[in-house]
Amino acid sequence: MLFLELNAPDQILETINFQVLTAYCNMLSILKPAKAPGFAYARLEIVSHRVFIGRILSLTPQQKGWPMYAQLLTALFKFLSPFLRNAELAKPVHRLYRGTLRVLLVLLHDFPCTLR
């Protein structure tokens, strides 16, 4: 909710949008799933939110948000990698995996340049 309000179309807030995105990315990098596994679902929800993806990948100047977003996804992949080595996934891990795949499909559809 706070993120949506800080990224509302407002002339005053437009000047700090990139700083707000950077702060959120830094916070999410600190709370990566390996350090806070209980926050993994909420983190995935934030990272996959349409406003967050749209702001960080299309509205940041000179694609400055792409490396930050790639870092967030990389932390998620590193967290999932030990679980994916098993043939059977526990139900919570399976849901996190499916959510991650959905994020990748959205990126492939809406921002294909980011997956190169």
Side-chain angles (χ1 to χ4, degrees), residues 28-102:
L28 291 170
S29 292
I30 291 169
L31 293 173
K32 58 185 165 187
K35 292 198 177 197
F39 189 65
Y41 292 105
R43 185 181 184 277
L44 179 62
E45 185 176 354
I46 293 169
V47 167
S48 65
H49 195 277
R50 62 181 175 80
V51 174
F52 187 78
I53 291 176
R55 285 283 177 176
I56 201 163
L57 294 180
S58 65
L59 296 179
T60 54
Q62 294 122 10
Q63 301 174 342
K64 290 182 182 175
W66 290 22
M68 293 187 293
Y69 196 74
Q71 181 183 11
L72 296 175
L73 288 180
T74 303
L76 183 61
F77 296 146
K78 286 181 180 178
F79 177 71
L80 283 173
S81 67
F83 297 108
L84 296 177
R85 290 190 182 110
N86 297 332
E88 292 288 323
L89 293 176
K91 196 168 189 173
V93 176
H94 187 261
R95 286 188 177 159
L96 188 63
Y97 176 68
R98 284 183 52 202
T100 304
L101 288 180
R102 288 181 182 183

